């Protein structure tokens, strides 16, 4: 069995915990090991925070801009993708290099790379915007009957 969902969220700080809670609930229901769920929830929070912070103008024609989160749990893997409509990587404010340990921010992409098994950081073709996608091999809770088990 597979589970997938997609959210279209306003670029507001309050959207980050919403995406994280939905992911954690999905993982819990599927029987995913809590440590794996926690790692993925931190990575998702960082990707969402980047979309909120760097994803383009806050408002366009009086309407708050949005970003999209999509999660796929399929078999033994979870894949998460966060896309926005900002300048993309290489544009103002987007840097994937590690930052100083004294820096107050700028560690999000590094954390995602450390917490996930495979990471892709790039730009959307066409209109622009950033895409951060990552996946992780799933492990199951002891005694759980995972929804994904074949």
């Amino acid at each position: 069995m597979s589970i997938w969902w997609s959210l279209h969220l306003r670029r507001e700080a309050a959207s980050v915990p919403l995406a994280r809670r939905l992911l954690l609930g999905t993982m819990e229901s599927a029987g995913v090991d809590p440590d794996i769920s926690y790692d993925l929830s931190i990575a998702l929070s960082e990707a969402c925070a980047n979309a909120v912070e760097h994803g383009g103008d806050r408002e366009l024609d009086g309407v708050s801009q949005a970003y999209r989160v999509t999660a796929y749990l399929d078999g033994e893997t979870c894949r998460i993708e966060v896309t926005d409509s900002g300048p993309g990587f290489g544009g103002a404010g987007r840097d994937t290099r590690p930052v100083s340990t004294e820096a107050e921010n700028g560690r999000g992409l590094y954390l995602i790379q450390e917490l996930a098994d495979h990471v892709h950081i790039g730009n959307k073709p066409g209109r622009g915007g950033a895409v951060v996608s990552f996946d992780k091999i799933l492990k199951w809770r002891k005694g759980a009957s995972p929804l994904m088990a074949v």
Side-chain angles (χ1 to χ4, degrees):
M1 176 185 279
S2 297
I3 299 173
W4 72 270
W5 49 261
S6 186
L7 299 171
H8 191 137
L9 299 165
R10 288 185 182 208
R11 285 190 44 246
E12 300 171 351
S15 68
V16 177
L18 173 64
R20 182 178 58 241
R21 283 192 302 270
L22 182 56
L23 178 67
L24 286 169
T26 302
M27 298 286 193
E28 172 70 20
S29 296
V32 174
D33 178 88
D35 291 338
I36 298 295
S37 298
Y38 180 75
D39 286 353
L40 283 169
S41 74
I42 296 297
L44 174 61
S45 295
E46 293 298 333
C48 290
N50 279 344
V52 168
E53 179 68 23
H54 304 289
D57 293 331
R58 290 268 183 221
E59 289 192 6
L60 186 61
D61 297 329
V63 177
S64 179
Q65 294 299 292
Y67 67 101
R68 182 176 307 276
V69 177
T70 305
Y72 307 90
L73 279 78
D74 190 21
E76 299 292 318
T77 305
C78 177
R79 179 173 183 81
I80 297 171
E81 182 175 280
V82 177
T83 61
D84 66 40
S85 57
F89 292 95
R94 299 283 182 118
D95 193 350
T96 59
R97 293 176 296 177
V99 297
S100 160
T101 56
E102 290 82 31
E104 291 186 25
N105 56 22
R107 293 188 191 92
L109 295 174
Y110 175 77
L111 282 171
I112 293 167
Q113 290 171 330
E114 291 299 309
L115 294 168
D117 293 327
H118 301 97
V119 178
H120 173 75
I121 299 168
N123 296 321
K124 291 190 308 190
R127 297 186 336 194
V131 177
V132 175
S133 62
F134 51 95
D135 59 67
K136 190 162 184 80
I137 303 298
L138 300 175
K139 294 179 186 171
W140 309 104
R141 270 191 330 262
K142 290 184 180 179
S145 176
L147 291 175
M148 284 355 108
V150 178

